[in-house]
């Protein structure tokens, strides 16, 4: 998508041969600074994922895939297989919830099977590029399918914008391009349908305030930032036509893990007959799981993310402040699970389906026996 008129993906390489280098947008600096970083070692890539320079399910997957290429080109000659296994394990351990990470590493493992040296480097490069290109293309298609839902909502309310509430950031910054939840919004906006987005701030890391508000602003999409707890009130007053969120892992029965607080929005939506959609590419399904509440691993992050907030001070410097008494104990679960029964539909690259095993398998029959 565009940043000040120039097209960017969230991860890319520049240069040729030995000089080819991996670059990312450092999302911890947004919205105050647009900073690009080079990742030269597998440790750089692990740090970028763990410390959330890159984040969001699709981008985590693409970063892991490119991380395997970075590892392959720095592997010692004597112990290629052992080195690569250790690097892949290090990448796998960076963050636990998004399925895309393990999915991308599995693709790379298959691509590298039986290969070493230069041949493996080329294979890892081709696979990383395929993962990234596919992520962008699948998100583009999610936009086309989700557009129809927004068109239907617009037809019901002629003369005013369609009000869409979203939580966290499932825009192009969370993927390689386009995004999942925001891709239909961009498609509708580009098609001339009046849309307006309610942007949940998304405590504790505020990805809604810092990332979603930024990318919607870059694209010119009308939006308002709201406090995390405002959504229920807006729904009670008819100010939300639909909710669209992303997902970090979705089970074969349609339970969806997404940023902490998503479940509460789904409950409020159900109570107010507001359709609650989850948008995801197929790389976010975990066909090995059925019960998301019981089985999806939920990342618990450093409690300082709850105790401390970071923002731009009046003197133009980015600064952090503690918002609770010194010594306050805090806990920081990063995700929660929305049960399938609260989800009106899943917007995927193959179309929109019911959030149920039957609905999902109707679009992905090849996973019937997984
Ligand atoms: O912790 P993050 O920022 O990596 O969390 C991921 C998210 O941004 C959301 O949960 C998002 O809605 C799903 S990722 C497309």
């Amino acid at each position: 998508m565009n940043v000040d008129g120039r097209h960017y993906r969230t991860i890319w390489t520049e240069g040729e041969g030995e000089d080819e280098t991996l670059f990312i947008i450092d999302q911890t600096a947004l919205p105050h600074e647009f900073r690009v970083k080079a990742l030269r070692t597998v440790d750089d890539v692990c740090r970028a994922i763990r410390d959330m320079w890159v984040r969001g399910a699709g981008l985590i997957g693409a970063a892991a895939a490119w991380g395997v290429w970075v590892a392959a080109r720095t592997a010692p000659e004597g112990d290629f297989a052992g080195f690569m296994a250790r690097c892949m394990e290090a990448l796998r351990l960076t963050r636990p919830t998004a399925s895309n990470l393990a999915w991308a590493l599995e693709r790379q493992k298959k691509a590298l099977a039986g290969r070493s040296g230069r041949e493996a480097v080329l294979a890892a490069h081709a696979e990383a590029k395929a993962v990234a290109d596919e992520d962008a293309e699948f998100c583009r298609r999610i936009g086309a399918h989700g557009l129809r839902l927004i068109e239907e909502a617009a037809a019901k309310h002629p003369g005013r914008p369609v009000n869409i509430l979203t939580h966290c950031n499932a825009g192009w910054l969370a993927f390689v391009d386009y995004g999942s939840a925001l891709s239909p919004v961009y498609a509708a906006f580009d098609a001339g349908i009046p849309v307006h987005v309610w942007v949940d701030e998304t405590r504790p890391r505020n990805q809604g305030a810092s990332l979603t508000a930024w990318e919607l602003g870059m694209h010119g999409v009308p939006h308002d930032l709201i406090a995390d707890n405002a959504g229920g009130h807006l729904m009670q007053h008819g100010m939300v036509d639909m909710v669209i969120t992303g997902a970090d892992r979705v089970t074969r029965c349609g339970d969806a893990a997404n940023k902490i607080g998503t479940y509460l929005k789904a409950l409020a939506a159900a109570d107010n007959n507001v359709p609650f959609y989850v948008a995801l590419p197929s790389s976010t399904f975990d066909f090995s799981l059925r019960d998301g509440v019981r089985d999806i691993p939920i990342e618990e992050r450093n409690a300082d993310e709850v105790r401390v907030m970071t923002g731009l001070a009046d003197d133009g410097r980015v600064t952090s402040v503690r918002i609770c008494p010194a010594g306050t104990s805090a806990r920081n679960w990063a995700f929660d699970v929305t049960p399938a029964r609260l989800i009106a539909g899943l917007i995927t690259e193959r179309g929109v389906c019911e959030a149920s095993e039957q609905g999902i398998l109707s679009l992905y029959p090849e996973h019937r026996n997984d």
Side-chain angles (χ1 to χ4, degrees):
M1 302 293 272
N2 290 340
V3 179
D4 293 329
R6 178 177 160 189
H7 178 260
Y8 278 91
R9 281 183 167 191
T10 52
I11 190 163
W12 68 97
T13 67
E14 283 176 24
E16 305 248 322
E18 298 286 298
D19 293 332
E20 187 171 1
T21 306
L22 182 63
F23 290 95
I24 54 140
I25 298 167
D26 176 2
Q27 300 193 17
T28 61
L30 289 171
H32 310 302
E33 188 190 339
F34 185 77
R35 189 192 291 159
V36 167
K37 274 190 171 149
L39 305 179
R40 298 180 199 281
T41 66
V42 73
D43 287 345
D44 288 348
V45 179
C46 287
R47 183 168 175 214
I49 300 173
R50 197 182 316 108
D51 292 352
M52 295 175 64
W53 304 352
V54 291
R55 30 66 53 199
L59 178 53
I60 290 172
W66 278 115
V68 172
W69 169 68
V70 169
R73 65 205 307 240
T74 52
E77 271 187 20
D79 180 28
F80 185 83
F83 178 82
M84 290 306 293
R86 287 191 294 280
C87 290
M88 287 208 203
E89 184 60 3
L91 287 162
R92 193 183 65 76
L93 291 175
T94 50
R95 293 195 70 191
T97 300
S99 342
N100 307 57
L101 178 57
W103 169 87
L105 291 173
E106 198 49 39
R107 275 186 65 156
Q108 281 290 30
K109 207 167 142 192
K110 284 190 188 133
L112 294 192
R115 298 192 154 105
S116 64
R118 172 122 188 93
E119 196 199 349
V121 174
L122 291 175
H125 186 283
E127 195 62 18
K129 188 170 177 319
V131 165
D133 289 348
E134 187 179 293
D135 182 88
E137 171 56 18
F138 282 11
C139 283
R140 191 192 64 74
R141 291 186 204 171
I142 286 169
H145 295 301
L147 167 62
R148 291 202 214 110
L149 299 171
I150 298 178
E151 279 170 344
E152 282 166 25
K156 280 190 208 150
H157 309 290
R160 68 155 175 86
V162 179
N163 285 303
I164 301 161
L165 184 140
T166 195
H167 191 69
C168 197
N169 175 261
W172 69 271
L173 289 168
F175 289 86
V176 173
D177 209 345
Y178 296 98
S180 56
L182 294 189
S183 187
V185 172
Y186 291 129
F189 178 81
D190 292 346
I193 298 170
V195 284
H196 166 266
V197 183
W198 298 112
V199 178
D200 283 352
E201 57 180 345
T202 319
R203 285 273 295 141
R205 288 184 67 102
N206 296 314
Q207 290 99 323
S210 60
L211 305 178
T212 299
W214 181 79
E215 57 163 275
L216 288 173
M218 280 287 160
H219 204 86
V221 178
H223 61 280
D224 282 289
L225 180 64
I226 54 173
D228 271 342
N229 295 323
H233 169 73
L234 299 184
M235 291 183 213
Q236 284 176 323
H237 289 271
M239 295 163 78
V240 182
D241 296 311
M242 63 172 71
V243 180
I244 311 181
T245 73
D248 297 273
R249 190 184 298 224
V250 175
T251 69
R252 67 185 294 124
C253 298
D255 294 344
N258 194 53
K259 184 55 56 186
I260 192 81
T262 303
Y263 170 51
L264 293 177
K265 296 298 171 292
L267 284 174
D271 195 43
N272 291 282
N273 290 319
V274 173
F276 182 99
Y277 293 101
V278 172
L280 71 154
S282 47
S283 47
T284 300
F285 282 115
D286 182 342
F287 286 97
S288 73
L289 300 184
R290 309 184 75 83
D291 182 336
V293 175
R294 191 188 61 195
D295 294 332
I296 294 179
I298 300 296
E299 176 178 14
E300 189 171 353
R301 295 184 61 84
N302 192 314
D304 276 343
E305 292 182 353
V306 177
R307 287 186 283 245
V308 176
M309 286 184 86
T310 301
L312 193 68
D314 283 347
D315 64 5
R317 279 187 303 172
V318 172
T319 189
S320 296
V321 291
R322 177 164 44 79
I323 59 166
C324 57
T328 299
S329 173
R331 298 285 297 270
N332 183 15
W333 289 277
F335 301 95
D336 60 24
V337 174
T338 298
R341 66 188 151 78
L342 298 176
I343 300 172
L346 302 174
I347 310 171
T348 76
E349 78 273 6
R350 291 193 189 172
V352 180
C353 70
E354 195 179 77
S356 67
E357 184 169 29
Q358 201 187 13
I360 293 166
L361 292 179
S362 72
L363 291 184
Y364 297 94
E366 68 272 31
H367 291 287
R368 192 165 291 279
N369 299 319
D370 284 8

